[in-house]
């Protein structure tokens, strides 16, 4: 099928090509026709009217008229070709036929004329006629050469009949002319054929050239078209690219803007503020300008969140952000996270920074109404100055934060500027941090024991295990390093170590009577999921009996999640271990929680024991009352004087602990002390 198609296509192309060639040849014939026809008219007229032929003069005229008619017909046909056909895709056969008819008619006229008048022509007319025919024939050899048939017919009609007639003429000397005529005819035909071959080749060559040029033009057009398409798609791609680039740029800036903003307050967020501060540090360094960084922490916000819910919390934060921004230039305020804000005060001295901080604090303390609730907050603010207190953004914020943290210990609503003492403390804490990490491995931890005395018998009821850290040859107070260990996430490891150590020591006391062991447990340690496993492990691996073990948990346990803390305490009690609430009265006490906690001992903080000296024993009495109410035994901490003992005994406390009896001692010293005093 495909082959047939290809063959048909090939055939079609071949036909088209041969048509072109035919048309070119016909064009050649018509192209030379006018000259030929005009010569014919001229020559025929010359012969007709140039020679007197006796008897046939009228016949000659008739011939002339016919020849002129044929010539005019041919001229008309040629004119038609020039005007209508030339340069068009006309079908060559019909044009060729018309042309051939004209030529053949002309040739017949010549032939009939020569033969018909031969007898009557005088010798000079005959010679002239023969010369004219020979010339006409030789002219046609090139003019009619594009058609072999035509040139053959034309030359033959013009030369052969007359040559034969001459050859067989009675006049003997004429026969040479007849032979010459035939030879001349043969020569003409052969030359005409050569011309024909040349013409045909030329036309074929021209044709293939044309085809080639056509092909090239077509290909060029195709290439131009492809190029145009390519250019178009390139343009479109460029356009798409530039739109995409613009889109990417817009999105990037959107993301950047959003990533630098806090959605709740619309202030700069942590990373946005840091970027801002970094660039401020850069420009201020080169221009030797100074500025202050303020770290603002809200006091009481946690309670708002816990008691009124996050929705109110969010309203309050947005409100505070608005208030704080009144004291800051645009873009100089950020939300550091939670209830912490950071601000920059440009060109600030310590005094101006303090003034702005006070104004901010005053702004915060104005009551806020949120959904029918009135919220009262305060703010603790730490200030660090550039470049005195730090030459980079992070250090400045860190120092302002530490100052705030330090101030918070003094009480809420305080403001302070970073100073060298604080700096030294920070450096010390930093070095302590590094050392605390390896304190257990380096055997720097020891457990000291302080006896807890029975009020009635004044005998040792138990001992409290108190951790000691000997760092670089000096003892660091647990009040200092325990919070550090909590912040560093080391408290679980340290607490586990203390519990093990104390339980091993306690199970090895060489005393006849068994005494109890109190171990302090940090709230963070208590709430860690590993704590109960640690406790079980200790109970399993040491011979201590659970009912002789008391775990002291500070009162801050009441601030943690109620259910979880109660569950932990219950888990401890389920193992027979007893629970003490340490430092009672110093922090966040809640009677309802105390009730749900089911503890065994309440340890009255030494600050109340100390104050009882001055006759101010209301809290002491209240605590003993509460303890009795909840079926808890009381331990008075920090007993240092006999007066205190009298008072506490009168109030009904169950146990004493304090320097009056003994300071915390190492294991061996305690054993000695016990043997001497008990
Ligand atoms: P705490 O549990 O209330 O321990 C009692 C603290 O009062 C001890 O201080 C003790 O030396 C001190 N103290 C006892 N009697 C007197 C006295 O008559 N006068 C004065 N001024 N002080 C007295 P220490 O050993 O410095 O411990 C401080 C706090 O560190 C402890 O308070 C406890 O909360 C914490 N702590 C100590 N060891 C550990 C531990 O192993 N784990 C945990 N989580 N905390 C511990
Ligand atoms: Mg304690
Ligand atoms: Mg205590």
């Amino acid at each position: 099928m495909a082959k047939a198609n290809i063959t048909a296509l090939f055939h079609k192309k071949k036909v088209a090509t041969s048509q072109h060639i035919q048309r070119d040849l016909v064009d050649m014939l018509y192209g030379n026709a006018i000259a030929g026809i005009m010569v014919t008219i001229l020559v025929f007229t010359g012969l007709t009217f140039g020679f007197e032929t006796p008897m046939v003069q009228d016949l000659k005229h008739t011939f002339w008229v016919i020849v002129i008619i044929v010539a005019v017909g041919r001229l008309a046909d040629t004119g038609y070709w020039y005007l209508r056909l030339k340069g068009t895709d006309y079908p060559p056969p019909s044009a060729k036929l018309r042309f051939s008819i004209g030529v053949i008619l002309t040739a017949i006229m010549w032939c009939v004329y020569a033969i018909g008048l031969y007898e009557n022509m005088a010798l000079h007319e005959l010679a002239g006629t023969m010369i004219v025919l020979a010339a006409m024939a030789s002219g046609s050899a090139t003019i009619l050469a594009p058609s072999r048939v035509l040139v053959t017919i034309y030359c033959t009609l013009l030369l052969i009949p007359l040559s034969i007639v001459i050859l067989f003429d009675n006049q003997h000397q004429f026969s040479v002319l007849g032979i010459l005529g035939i030879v001349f005819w043969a020569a003409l035909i052969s030359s005409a054929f050569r011309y024909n071959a040349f013409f045909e080749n030329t036309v074929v060559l021209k044709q293939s050239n044309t085809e080639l040029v056509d092909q090239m033009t077509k290909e060029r057009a195709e290439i131009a078209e492809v190029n145009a398409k390519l250019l178009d798609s390139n343009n479109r791609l460029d356009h798409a690219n530039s739109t995409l680039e613009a889109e990417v740029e817009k999105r990037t800036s959107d993301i950047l803007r959003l990533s630098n903003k806090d959605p709740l307050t619309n202030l700069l967020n942590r990373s946005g503020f840091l970027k801002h501060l970094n660039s401020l540090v850069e420009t201020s360094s080169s221009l030797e300008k100074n500025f202050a960084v303020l770290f603002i922490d809200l006091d009481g916000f946690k309670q708002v969140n816990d008691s009124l819910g996050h929705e109110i919390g969010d309203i309050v934060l947005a409100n505070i952000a608005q208030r704080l921004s009144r004291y800051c230039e645009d873009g100089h305020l950020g939300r550091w996270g939670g209830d912490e804000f950071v601000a920059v005060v440009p060109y600030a001295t310590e005094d101006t920074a303090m003034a702005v901080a006070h104004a901010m604090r005053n702004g915060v303390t104005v009551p806020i109404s949120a959904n029918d609730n009135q919220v009262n907050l305060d703010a603790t603010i730490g200030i660090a100055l550039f470049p005195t207190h730090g030459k980079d953004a992070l250090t400045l914020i860190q120092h302002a934060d530490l100052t705030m943290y330090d101030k918070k210990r003094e009480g809420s609503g305080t403001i302070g500027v970073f100073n060298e003492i604080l700096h030294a403390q920070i450096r010390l804490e930093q070095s302590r941090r590094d050392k605390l990490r390896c304190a257990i491995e380096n055997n720097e931890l020891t457990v000291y024991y302080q006896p807890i005395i029975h009020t009635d018998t004044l005998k040792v009821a138990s001992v409290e295990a108190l951790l000691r850290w000997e760092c670089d040859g000096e003892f660091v107070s647990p009040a200092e390093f325990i919070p550090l260990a909590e912040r560093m996430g080391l408290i679980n490891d340290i607490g586990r170590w203390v519990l093990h150590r104390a339980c091993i020591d306690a199970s090895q006391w060489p005393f006849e009577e068994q005494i109890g062991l109190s171990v302090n447990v940090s709230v963070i340690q208590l709430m860690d999921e590993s704590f109960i496993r640690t406790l079980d492990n200790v109970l399993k691996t040491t011979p201590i009996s659970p009912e002789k073990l008391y775990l002291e948990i500070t009162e801050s346990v009441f601030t943690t999640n109620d259910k979880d803390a109660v569950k932990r305490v219950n888990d401890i009690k389920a193992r027979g271990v007893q629970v003490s609430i340490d430092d009672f009265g110093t922090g966040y006490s809640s009677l309802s929680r105390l009730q749900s906690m089911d503890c065994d001992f309440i340890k009255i903080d030494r600050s109340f024991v100390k104050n009882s000296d001055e006759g101010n024993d209301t809290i002491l009495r209240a605590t003993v009352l509460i303890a009795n109410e909840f079926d808890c035994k009381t331990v008075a901490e920090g007993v240092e004087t006999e007066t205190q003992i009298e008072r506490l005994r009168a109030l009904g406390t169950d146990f004493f602990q304090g320097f009056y009896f003994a300071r915390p001692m190492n294991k061996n010293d305690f054993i000695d002390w016990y043997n001497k005093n008990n």
Side-chain angles (χ1 to χ4, degrees):
M1 184 68 183
K3 196 176 167 193
N5 276 348
I6 290 167
T7 318
L9 215 76
F10 187 67
H11 179 69
K12 230 170 144 182
K13 190 170 180 215
K14 223 167 135 185
V15 169
T17 314
S18 89
Q19 278 233 343
H20 276 123
I21 294 170
Q22 291 304 316
R23 197 177 302 124
D24 280 353
L25 290 171
V26 172
D27 284 354
M28 277 180 165
L29 290 171
Y30 272 111
N32 295 322
I34 290 177
I37 296 164
M38 294 314 283
V39 168
T40 305
I41 292 170
L42 271 176
V43 169
F44 210 92
T45 308
L47 284 177
T48 309
F49 299 104
F51 298 98
E52 265 304 316
T53 318
M55 292 170 324
V56 287
Q57 197 58 26
D58 288 344
L59 187 68
K60 267 175 86 176
H61 288 156
T62 312
F63 265 119
W64 180 83
V65 171
I66 296 168
V67 166
I68 293 300
I69 290 169
V70 171
V72 168
R74 287 185 64 198
L75 276 175
D77 179 39
T78 309
Y80 173 69
W81 175 84
Y82 263 112
L83 299 172
R84 285 290 167 87
L85 305 182
K86 192 182 175 191
T88 67
D89 273 353
Y90 67 91
S94 56
K96 192 177 178 183
L97 182 68
R98 282 195 311 278
F99 186 84
S100 303
I101 291 169
V103 169
I104 292 167
L105 276 178
T106 310
I108 291 170
M109 291 308 299
W110 278 119
C111 177
V112 174
Y113 174 85
I115 306 294
L117 299 187
Y118 179 76
E119 288 295 332
N120 300 73
M121 277 188 215
L123 193 61
H124 62 276
E125 190 186 351
L126 185 63
T129 305
M130 281 186 72
I131 289 166
V132 164
L133 286 181
M136 293 296 288
S138 76
S140 76
T142 48
I143 288 175
L144 298 179
S147 166
R148 277 180 191 227
V149 180
L150 267 189
V151 80
T152 309
I153 293 173
Y154 193 81
C155 285
T156 308
L157 281 173
L158 253 65
L159 294 175
I160 296 299
L162 188 62
S163 298
I164 292 169
V165 171
I166 292 172
L167 193 63
F168 296 105
D169 196 280
N170 293 337
Q171 295 182 40
H172 186 63
Q173 69 274 23
F174 271 28
S175 54
V176 182
L177 275 176
I179 292 168
L180 271 177
I182 291 166
V183 171
F184 184 58
W185 169 83
L188 274 186
I189 293 295
S190 106
S191 123
F193 276 25
R194 275 207 307 282
Y195 276 127
N196 176 271
F198 171 71
F199 284 153
E200 276 192 1
N201 278 343
T202 311
V203 167
V204 169
L205 219 73
K206 181 195 157 212
Q207 193 53 47
S208 52
N209 256 356
T210 314
E211 269 176 30
L212 222 72
V213 168
D214 280 355
Q215 182 78 13
M216 273 167 65
T217 317
K218 216 171 115 194
E219 280 175 9
R220 212 172 284 162
E222 274 172 15
I223 288 172
E225 195 185 338
V226 169
N227 265 350
K229 277 185 188 164
L230 263 168
L231 204 73
D232 182 47
S233 28
N234 238 1
N235 284 344
R236 266 187 283 168
L237 211 75
D238 275 354
H239 177 69
N241 258 354
S242 60
T243 338
L244 213 74
E245 265 170 35
E247 182 71 5
V248 166
E249 245 169 55
K250 188 182 165 294
R251 291 214 179 157
T252 314
S253 80
D254 280 355
I255 289 169
L256 213 69
R257 192 169 44 78
L258 287 176
S259 70
N260 287 335
K261 281 268 163 153
D262 169 53
L264 176 67
T265 58
N266 211 25
L267 298 178
L268 290 172
N269 62 15
R270 188 181 281 230
S271 76
F273 188 83
L274 261 178
K275 272 182 217 156
H276 173 62
L277 199 56
N278 270 322
S279 69
L280 203 69
V281 163
E282 247 170 63
T283 48
S284 301
S285 303
S286 55
L287 299 174
E288 291 183 15
K289 286 193 293 188
N290 51 325
F291 62 85
V293 174
L294 275 59
F295 201 103
I296 306 140
D297 184 272
L298 300 182
D299 301 313
F301 180 75
K302 194 181 174 318
Q303 284 88 320
V304 172
N305 236 359
D306 287 350
S307 55
L308 300 177
H310 287 262
E311 211 176 305
I312 302 281
D314 284 354
I315 296 172
V316 168
L317 281 177
N319 196 301
I320 292 287
Q322 224 174 17
R323 289 185 187 184
L324 291 177
S325 59
R326 285 187 212 140
Y327 309 97
C328 288
E329 283 177 35
D330 239 13
H332 280 332
L333 183 67
R335 184 175 170 210
W336 194 246
D339 60 351
E340 295 166 337
F341 294 86
V342 271
V344 167
V345 184
Y347 305 105
T349 58
E350 192 174 319
D351 290 343
T352 43
M354 280 298 273
V356 172
H358 277 291
M360 281 180 166
R361 196 205 142 199
N362 289 339
V364 171
T365 51
V366 175
I368 302 163
S369 46
N371 290 7
D372 300 332
N373 295 288
Q374 186 173 306
V375 174
N376 295 296
L377 294 177
D378 207 334
T380 304
I381 303 175
I383 300 167
L385 298 165
F386 172 87
T388 331
H389 301 147
K391 289 187 171 60
D392 63 273
L394 266 177
T395 311
L396 284 164
I397 290 179
Q398 199 187 13
H399 286 175
D401 180 18
L402 286 164
T403 312
M404 181 282 294
Y405 190 78
D406 185 55
K407 285 282 138 192
K408 204 143 220 178
R409 277 190 280 216
E410 285 176 20
S412 60
T414 41
I415 297 167
V417 180
F418 184 78
N419 56 53
E420 266 320 305
I421 299 165
L422 200 63
H423 202 191
Q425 271 175 16
I426 292 161
R427 275 204 302 265
L428 185 70
E429 183 175 314
Q430 263 163 359
S431 91
R432 291 259 159 88
R433 269 169 185 267
D434 299 337
K435 287 171 183 160
L436 189 59
R437 245 178 256 284
C438 341
I440 298 177
E441 289 105 274
N442 294 348
N443 282 326
E444 289 167 4
L445 298 181
T446 334
V447 181
Y448 271 44
Y449 298 95
Q450 187 179 29
I452 295 172
I453 312 292
H454 213 286
T455 321
D456 301 330
T457 60
L458 290 179
K459 284 195 160 193
V460 177
S462 57
V463 279
E464 178 174 4
L466 293 161
L467 186 57
R468 295 290 175 263
W469 176 31
E470 197 181 348
C471 176
D472 297 332
E474 63 166 318
F475 281 104
V476 184
S477 161
E480 195 181 312
F481 72 82
I482 292 291
L484 190 63
E486 286 177 340
R487 285 204 295 276
M488 289 171 69
L490 293 173
I491 194 65
N492 288 320
D493 291 340
I494 291 177
R496 200 179 301 127
W497 182 86
V498 174
L499 191 60
H500 260 108
R501 184 72 260 156
C503 287
I504 291 168
D505 288 350
S507 55
Q508 291 170 352
W509 297 141
F511 313 136
E512 278 171 17
E513 280 172 61
Q514 234 193 343
I515 58 167
L517 171 71
S518 272
V519 180
N520 292 286
V521 173
S522 150
V523 175
I524 296 174
Q525 187 192 354
L526 173 81
M527 298 314 290
D528 192 84
E529 43 140 22
S530 69
F531 180 72
I532 295 296
R533 257 184 285 133
T534 305
L535 181 63
D536 284 339
N537 193 324
V538 167
L539 292 175
K540 212 166 88 185
T541 54
T542 61
I544 191 154
S545 44
E547 63 277 6
K548 285 287 166 195
L549 180 63
Y550 318 128
L551 297 183
E552 293 191 10
I553 305 156
T554 54
E555 204 184 35
S556 61
V557 73
F558 295 133
T559 59
T560 61
N561 187 308
D562 194 6
K563 276 189 208 141
D564 291 349
V566 170
K567 187 178 179 302
R568 267 301 130 85
V569 169
N570 288 342
D571 286 345
I572 294 169
K573 301 223 32 162
R575 282 153 178 81
V577 176
Q578 304 196 46
V579 174
S580 302
I581 299 296
D582 205 354
D583 304 343
F584 190 83
T586 53
Y588 182 83
S589 307
S590 158
L591 290 183
S592 65
R593 290 210 175 173
L594 189 62
Q595 188 176 28
S596 59
M597 214 57 108
D598 187 22
C599 51
D600 306 282
F601 297 91
I602 287 178
K603 294 190 79 174
I604 307 164
D605 191 71
R606 71 167 182 268
S607 55
F608 304 114
V609 175
K610 196 178 168 200
N611 285 345
S612 72
D613 270 355
E614 295 141 26
N616 183 7
D617 56 3
T618 323
I619 295 179
L620 267 182
R621 272 190 283 125
T623 309
V624 174
L625 226 82
I626 291 167
N628 289 340
E629 207 54 42
F630 288 118
D631 226 3
C632 293
K633 299 246 177 288
T634 45
V635 183
E637 290 185 308
V639 179
E640 290 181 354
T641 61
E642 243 169 282
T643 338
Q644 285 167 353
I645 293 173
E646 292 312 316
R647 263 207 154 333
L648 290 163
R649 193 176 268 146
L651 283 173
T653 42
D654 301 296
F655 301 96
F656 298 135
Q657 180 183 357
F659 292 172
Y660 179 83
F661 300 97
R663 289 180 174 258
M665 299 158 275
N666 67 32
K667 182 183 156 189
N668 293 332
D669 288 349
F670 171 65
I671 294 171
D672 289 348
W673 179 89
Y674 184 91
N675 288 333
K676 262 186 229 156
N677 293 283
N678 215 35

